[in-house]
Amino acid sequence: MALHVPKAPGFASMLKEGARAYSGLEEAVYRNINACKEFASSVRSAYGPNGMNKMIINHIEKQFVTSDAGTIMRELDVEHPAAKLMIQASQMQEAEVGDGTNFVVVLCGALLEVAEELLRLGVTTSDITEGYEKALDRALEILPKLVCHEVKDYRNQELVKEAIKASIMSKQLGNEEFISDLITKACVSILPEKTTFNVDNIRVCKILGSGLHTSEVIHGMVFKRFVEGEIASAKDAKIALFSCPVDIIQTETKGTVLIKSADELKNFSKGEENLLESQIKAIADTGAKVVVAGGKFGDMALHYMNKYGLMAVRLNSKFDLRRLSKAVNGTVLPRLTPPSAEELGYCDNVFVNELGDTSVCIFRSEGSDSRIATIVIRGSTDNYMDDIERAIDDGVNTFKGLTRDGRFLPGAGAVEIELARQLAEYADTLPGLDQYAVRKFAVALEAFPKALAENSGINATEIVNKLYLAHKEGKLNEGFDIDAEQPATVDVTSTKIFDLFQTKYWGLKYAVGAACTILKVDQIIMAKRAGGPKPRAGAANSDDES
């Protein structure tokens, strides 16, 4: 008879063999805080215009070189559950605003770091979370009073350009003028009169070669494809769009044809060919000059397309086909039937061009009613162009944000220092233990100017002291001067460094929400992993070993 070894008493005795349970401050809370601090410190060095790049090789061996926190977190496969909570808050920020992902992680990490000090002093987690929530409410009250710039005319290119420049600068310092000019032209050109601006209507096409400054905006769509037939251009073109292949139609039901002689085989093939010719002729008779299909073009179909002077373009992606239908205002047909006048799209110029050694097919709309704009990026490496695309994505999202709410806050750490100063004063008015948490919240906000200074190689403490001094004198728009060689401050309204109000508003909310959720965890229970190593017979519970 095998010797029965009883499980250790406590919570672990209820769980399966191999499960783990951590509880209390030492095992659960501090463990979570340390994981989040480590993660936040790794992305903190990528914060700001002088932030360092990270080289990430993901699970499918794809390489990324970027300082964009959203991409870093998307490609890292983070295991720790508390760090995952922080990443989820950052992803929510990405979905809500499209920018400020690093802001959420850095603030959440800083809040947890200062909370650890309070916990070691004996302040309870409930007092800390209550204080953080009070500080957040107070910060959101102060925030609208710090607005220093507002864009009311979204169609004024100069105003828009200076508003989105700061979000580009944080990713591509030195190229911000050129990139923000491209984004402004693209966004303003397709801004609808009545409906809201759609980020998906700004497309990016990356073509290797040349340099960034040969990038351009094209009103319409650009595809890295060559045409299927011989016709390579069409002006004032009506466009027929099909989601099916342009080929001899397969019957919907299976059937057997009994052919007894060579003549019958000839007639059968000829009948198929005549049917295909009549279909393509019917499409040409509608006035269409271009046929775009989501499937392949058969050899026989291409022969008739060339015969009737139709340009043939194949798109493999159904999403690209859908976007093109929006760009040319046409309807995608599921079967090879002649389109009606309402179903035909229209484009001023469809042509094939060669950029570097890449052939591209361009659908260009010359008029002002273009619905989609494409930014063609040129660059020396794929990694470089990917990073430019991420900067463009942030700029386009900032434009979308300002069409909803055109208010801007001072950047370069000015708004964080002013919030910290006012929250420290607010903490003095609170009677309970939560005043310590509010004061520490103010200390956590100093992480941003410190990160900007450290990443620029300048003494962070000196910068924070200078910023506090300027803000106490009433200079609310004083931020860190990134161009100065010595620690110095600058009025950000003169350098046009603005942060979108919505970015800070939601960033504060999500960061505090994640930090409070992590602090409220007092027990971690990890069930036995599926497919993990089986514990030895009679072994003690694994929680005792950990």
Side-chain angles (χ1 to χ4, degrees):
M1 192 176 81
L3 178 68
H4 174 69
V5 179
K7 284 188 178 183
F11 194 89
S13 64
M14 304 176 208
L15 304 173
K16 280 185 179 178
E17 289 283 342
R20 297 185 180 197
Y22 305 107
S23 60
L25 279 178
E26 284 298 330
E27 280 196 329
V29 183
Y30 292 149
R31 188 182 281 236
N32 283 345
I33 288 173
N34 284 332
C36 293
K37 269 164 51 182
E38 286 294 321
F39 186 75
S41 68
S42 68
V43 293
R44 183 176 158 172
S45 62
Y47 185 73
N50 289 333
M52 303 297 282
N53 282 346
K54 309 288 179 193
M55 185 181 282
I56 295 152
I57 295 143
N58 69 3
H59 62 289
I60 55 167
E61 303 274 315
K62 190 178 177 192
Q63 183 178 304
F64 295 83
V65 180
T66 181
S67 63
D68 179 49
T71 306
I72 294 166
M73 286 180 281
R74 199 164 44 248
E75 298 307 327
L76 285 178
D77 200 7
V78 175
E79 275 283 303
H80 199 283
K84 270 187 181 174
L85 281 173
M86 202 159 62
I87 290 169
Q88 282 167 359
S90 184
Q91 285 168 344
M92 236 7 266
Q93 172 80 355
E94 176 85 24
E96 186 70 47
V97 189
D99 196 7
T101 48
N102 210 339
F103 179 88
V104 174
V105 176
V106 171
L107 180 55
C108 187
L111 287 171
L112 291 170
E113 195 172 336
V114 293
E116 187 178 7
E117 295 169 25
L118 290 175
L119 287 168
R120 295 198 189 278
L121 289 171
V123 183
T124 62
T125 50
S126 58
D127 281 326
I128 296 171
T129 53
E130 201 177 309
Y132 280 179
E133 278 157 9
K134 278 187 182 176
L136 173 65
D137 292 340
R138 181 69 180 154
L140 297 182
E141 280 174 31
I142 298 166
L143 218 52
K145 298 170 190 169
L146 304 181
V147 171
C148 66
H149 183 68
E150 191 165 359
V151 176
K152 289 180 179 171
D153 181 8
Y154 313 136
R155 295 176 192 280
N156 185 324
Q157 291 199 15
E158 279 307 309
L159 288 177
V160 169
K161 186 179 168 183
E162 66 183 33
I164 66 170
K165 196 167 73 173
S167 68
I168 308 298
M169 198 187 288
S170 66
K171 298 281 184 300
Q172 289 291 327
L173 185 62
N175 296 322
E176 68 274 3
E177 281 288 338
F178 179 72
I179 296 173
S180 52
D181 192 43
L182 285 179
I183 295 167
T184 305
K185 281 179 189 169
C187 292
V188 173
S189 69
I190 64 154
L191 187 60
E193 290 289 340
K194 293 171 186 171
T195 54
T196 53
F197 174 79
N198 185 358
V199 173
D200 195 52
N201 291 348
I202 301 290
R203 307 306 306 158
V204 171
C205 182
K206 296 171 286 192
I207 295 171
L208 208 56
S210 192
L212 175 64
H213 289 272
T214 55
S215 303
E216 58 177 326
V217 175
I218 289 173
H219 300 302
M221 291 200 75
V222 178
F223 301 102
K224 283 200 273 188
R225 300 197 65 79
F226 199 72
V227 289
E228 300 288 312
E230 293 171 5
I231 316 296
S233 67
K235 288 201 170 180
D236 300 328
K238 287 182 180 175
I239 299 169
L241 301 129
F242 299 101
S243 57
C244 60
V246 178
D247 202 355
I248 292 166
I249 295 175
Q250 301 283 324
T251 54
E252 287 183 13
T253 54
K254 285 188 177 180
T256 306
V257 180
L258 195 60
I259 293 171
K260 293 177 181 174
S261 66
D263 287 340
E264 281 183 13
L265 181 60
K266 262 187 184 176
N267 291 336
F268 180 76
S269 300
K270 199 166 187 180
E272 277 193 327
E273 288 166 20
N274 290 343
L275 178 63
L276 185 61
E277 183 176 9
S278 64
Q279 285 173 328
I280 289 172
K281 184 176 184 298
I283 292 167
D285 290 343
T286 61
K289 290 185 182 177
V290 181
V291 175
V292 181
K296 71 183 180 82
F297 285 84
D299 291 342
M300 188 60 68
L302 280 177
H303 165 70
Y304 291 125
M305 298 276 283
N306 294 335
K307 180 179 175 182
Y308 291 106
L310 292 172
M311 183 176 173
V313 181
R314 180 184 175 184
L315 297 179
N316 289 333
S317 164
K318 64 179 180 182
F319 300 107
D320 278 346
L321 192 63
R322 210 175 289 165
R323 289 185 189 106
L324 181 62
S325 74
K326 191 194 286 184
V328 300
N329 199 19
T331 306
V332 180
L333 301 173
R335 293 188 64 193
L336 199 61
T337 52
S340 65
E342 293 79 28
E343 290 166 337
L344 282 169
Y346 175 82
C347 192
D348 294 310
N349 199 358
V350 184
F351 60 99
V352 172
N353 198 358
E354 198 164 284
L355 296 173
D357 59 352
T358 309
S359 296
V360 290
C361 184
I362 299 172
F363 289 77
R364 191 195 290 273
S365 298
E366 310 289 356
S368 59
D369 60 342
S370 173
R371 292 162 177 238
I372 287 183
T374 303
I375 299 174
V376 178
I377 302 173
R378 306 301 307 280
S380 53
T381 65
D382 285 323
N383 271 319
Y384 176 68
M385 290 192 293
D386 287 344
D387 221 26
I388 299 290
E389 184 182 8
R390 286 186 273 271
I392 287 172
D393 186 52
D394 282 356
V396 172
N397 277 296
T398 303
F399 180 80
K400 181 190 176 184
L402 75 87
T403 59
R404 290 176 178 176
D405 184 348
R407 291 177 295 172
F408 283 84
L409 295 162
V415 74
E416 287 87 358
I417 285 292
E418 185 54 31
L419 281 175
R421 189 183 70 80
Q422 293 200 32
L423 285 174
E425 289 174 5
Y426 171 61
D428 295 336
T429 66
L430 296 172
L433 281 173
D434 48 13
Q435 64 173 290
Y436 295 107
V438 175
R439 200 168 282 114
K440 286 293 184 185
F441 192 104
V443 173
L445 284 166
E446 293 173 10
F448 294 98
K450 278 181 180 174
L452 289 172
E454 283 165 7
N455 294 344
S456 305
I458 283 172
N459 188 322
T461 313
E462 205 172 329
I463 275 295
V464 170
N465 291 341
K466 287 197 171 188
L467 285 171
Y468 270 125
L469 186 65
H471 282 251
K472 274 178 183 162
E473 290 170 1
K475 300 174 184 172
L476 303 187
N477 298 330
E478 283 290 308
F480 167 53
D481 186 1
I482 207 158
D483 296 321
E485 290 185 11
Q486 296 297 321
T489 64
V490 65
D491 186 342
V492 295
T493 52
S494 63
T495 54
K496 307 283 189 241
I497 301 170
F498 302 122
D499 286 339
L500 192 66
F501 179 85
Q502 292 285 313
T503 305
K504 295 289 182 207
Y505 179 86
W506 289 107
L508 284 164
K509 273 197 159 186
Y510 290 136
V512 174
C516 289
T517 306
I518 292 163
L519 285 171
K520 284 176 182 171
V521 172
D522 76 330
Q523 205 166 21
I524 305 167
I525 302 153
M526 296 167 74
K528 184 182 169 188
R529 280 169 177 245
K534 291 181 180 176
R536 296 188 311 277
N541 186 271
S542 61
D543 190 34
D544 299 346
E545 296 164 12
S546 61

